[in-house]
Amino acid sequence: MIVQVNDLPGFRKKALRWATTFDTLCYLDSNGFNDPYSKFDTLIAVGARAELTADAGNAFDQLDEFRKNNPGWMTGFLGYDLKNEIEALTSTNHDGLKFPDLYFFVPQHLILIKGNEAEIISDTPEFVLTAINEQDLRPSARQTAINLKSRFSRQEYIDTVNKIKEHISRGDIYVTNFCQEFFAEDVSLDPLGVFTKLNEVSPNPFSTFFKWNGNYILGASPERFLAKRGSKLISQPIKGTAKRLDDIEADKQAKQTLRSHPKELQENVMVVDLVRNDLTRSAKPGTVKTKELFGIYSFTQVHQMISTVVCEMQDGLSNVQAIKNTFPMGSMTGAPKLSSMQLMEQYERSKRGVYSGAIGYFSPDDDFDFNVVIRSLLYNSSNKYLSFHAGGAITYHAIAENEYEECLLKAAAVMEVLGRELT
């Protein structure tokens, strides 16, 4: 069923409010960004006709089988700690969220919005449309104050970055992504109200509201992990960040400085090399290409340096195997990949979980698209634990104090939405 929509912002808000009445939903919003690889502006998957929950061990095999049995639309997430299935790694750091490593579901109802049209895929499309139109868009209640804490003090973070730089000087690694967790306990959160505000403060092309069994992922990600379009695989790693400035000329200068900054360029090219290497496992020989190097893209909070790497996918390779071959994404690990992941388990103080994993979908035409879970708030309503991470690339030229400030910059939108500074 296809319907014309006159008030797109209102329809999206009503559809999301209706979707939150279900136990399971995945809302993906491009926020109007022009993306040549996107199939839609907004996707809303609601209710679980079938679902898969798995932890590292044989999770990818389970997902492969689940996909074969459910070849239509499917949405879900891959947690970072699936790395323990791919490599000989373990994760023993603190985990307050208790999320599974993998969760996917086949929706009962699916809404695809593109332009001024909304396609409703459901056994009862008229019921869905009526239910959406009946939603009341009254404002959400004001979020109560949240006492945020960090696993690292500023000085502890700086000291740890300098220890990591010693590993780089010794040649153990070239670059890594070091992350820290900000968290709060005994929190009563209004997920819809918080996400709505986050999407207003920081609209990004891979924004996400994901809910299952009382757990929530509220995301404002700017980064694509991996997509498949026909026979082509596309990865768009982000490395390189600069703060947006109110003064137009100063903002232009910040953008230009990012474009020519040696450390940011070094970060980006190292990750591009890593992504190119990862893609060769899934590519037809000789087809891995860097389509764009050091592209500068502007978002509400930051400028980002984004590169695009593509290849032609091997015949006979399953989509799940192609994802596994590149997971976790190079922009969140480092190089060499295994050594970097081992070291970050040693120096980080929390399990990353879904953070620096991926959320996305498989479509009936055998394509898929997954983001990188960054700039995202995660919440377990059962134990009332709230968490978000921020991280940055550490290279030989990294200045520890600047890296700490970059973490706070990346966390700024989430902190603004929560209305709190760190204690």
Side-chain angles (χ1 to χ4, degrees), residues 206-252:
F206 296 96
S207 294
T208 306
F209 185 114
F210 200 101
K211 173 189 177 184
W212 83 106
N213 299 331
N215 301 304
Y216 296 86
I217 305 166
L218 314 175
S221 174
E223 184 171 1
R224 170 178 277 120
F225 159 45
L226 190 68
K228 176 175 176 283
R229 294 292 179 260
S231 62
K232 182 181 290 185
L233 294 175
I234 305 107
S235 184
Q236 295 183 292
I238 292 179
K239 271 290 168 274
T241 303
K243 184 178 181 178
R244 296 297 306 269
L245 301 172
D246 293 333
D247 181 82
I248 294 175
E249 288 305 316
D251 193 57
K252 286 182 180 177

Side-chain angles (χ1 to χ4, degrees), residues 133-396:
N133 288 329
E134 288 177 348
Q135 293 300 306
D136 181 2
L137 287 182
R138 62 188 180 280
S140 299
R142 183 179 176 87
Q143 177 63 49
T144 56
I146 291 172
N147 183 26
L148 283 176
K149 302 175 184 177
S150 174
R151 298 285 169 198
F152 289 85
S153 69
R154 182 179 186 275
Q155 191 57 51
E156 286 172 337
Y157 182 89
I158 289 169
D159 291 343
T160 305
V161 168
N162 287 325
K163 289 178 183 176
I164 292 169
K165 287 181 64 177
E166 291 175 10
H167 287 279
I168 296 173
S169 296
R170 290 200 297 265
D172 299 335
I173 55 173
Y174 308 116
V175 59
T176 193
N177 196 291
F178 173 50
C179 304
Q180 60 173 318
E181 182 191 23
F182 305 94
F183 68 100
E185 297 167 303
D186 197 25
V187 174
S188 293
L189 195 74
D190 171 18
L192 178 58
V194 168
F195 173 76
T196 300
K197 188 174 180 182
L198 178 62
N199 210 34
E200 291 170 354
V201 169
S202 185
N204 278 305
F206 296 96
S207 294
T208 306
F209 185 114
F210 200 101
K211 173 189 177 184
W212 83 106
N213 299 331
N215 301 304
Y216 296 86
I217 305 166
L218 314 175
S221 174
E223 184 171 1
R224 170 178 277 120
F225 159 45
L226 190 68
K228 176 175 176 283
R229 294 292 179 260
S231 62
K232 182 181 290 185
L233 294 175
I234 305 107
S235 184
Q236 295 183 292
I238 292 179
K239 271 290 168 274
T241 303
K243 184 178 181 178
R244 296 297 306 269
L245 301 172
D246 293 333
D247 181 82
I248 294 175
E249 288 305 316
D251 193 57
K252 286 182 180 177
Q253 184 57 51
K255 191 174 180 178
Q256 187 58 43
T257 300
L258 175 61
R259 191 187 305 274
S260 58
H261 196 289
K263 187 237 178 204
E264 308 289 0
L265 295 169
Q266 181 188 47
E267 284 181 22
N268 196 282
V269 77
M270 284 180 175
V271 171
V272 166
D273 284 346
L274 178 56
V275 170
R276 286 174 59 91
N277 183 66
D278 282 348
L279 283 178
T280 59
R281 301 175 187 173
S282 304
K284 290 181 178 177
T287 65
V288 177
K289 308 290 183 187
T290 303
K291 189 170 182 180
E292 182 182 28
L293 188 64
F294 307 145
I296 306 296
Y297 294 81
S298 298
F299 303 94
T300 304
Q301 303 277 336
V302 294
H303 300 294
Q304 302 273 206
M305 187 180 290
I306 306 176
S307 295
T308 300
V309 187
V310 301
C311 73
E312 289 294 317
M313 187 166 150
Q314 293 172 18
D315 296 333
L317 189 73
S318 77
N319 286 345
V320 172
Q321 186 61 47
I323 293 169
K324 182 180 180 181
N325 285 347
T326 55
F327 194 84
M329 62 290 303
S331 62
M332 298 306 295
T333 57
K337 199 169 188 179
L338 178 57
S339 299
S340 296
M341 290 190 290
Q342 287 172 329
L343 278 175
M344 291 311 96
E345 285 295 337
Q346 176 183 332
Y347 285 112
E348 293 175 2
R349 296 179 178 177
S350 307
K351 280 185 70 172
R352 294 191 190 180
V354 178
Y355 171 75
S356 69
I359 295 175
Y361 67 85
F362 295 98
S363 53
D365 59 2
D366 207 35
D367 281 354
F368 62 78
D369 199 358
F370 284 84
N371 72 5
V372 178
V373 182
I374 51 177
R375 324 286 161 84
S376 299
L377 187 65
L378 294 88
Y379 178 58
N380 182 328
S381 66
S382 297
N383 66 11
K384 296 188 174 183
Y385 187 87
L386 177 150
S387 170
F388 66 98
H389 280 72
I394 311 302
T395 66
Y396 177 80

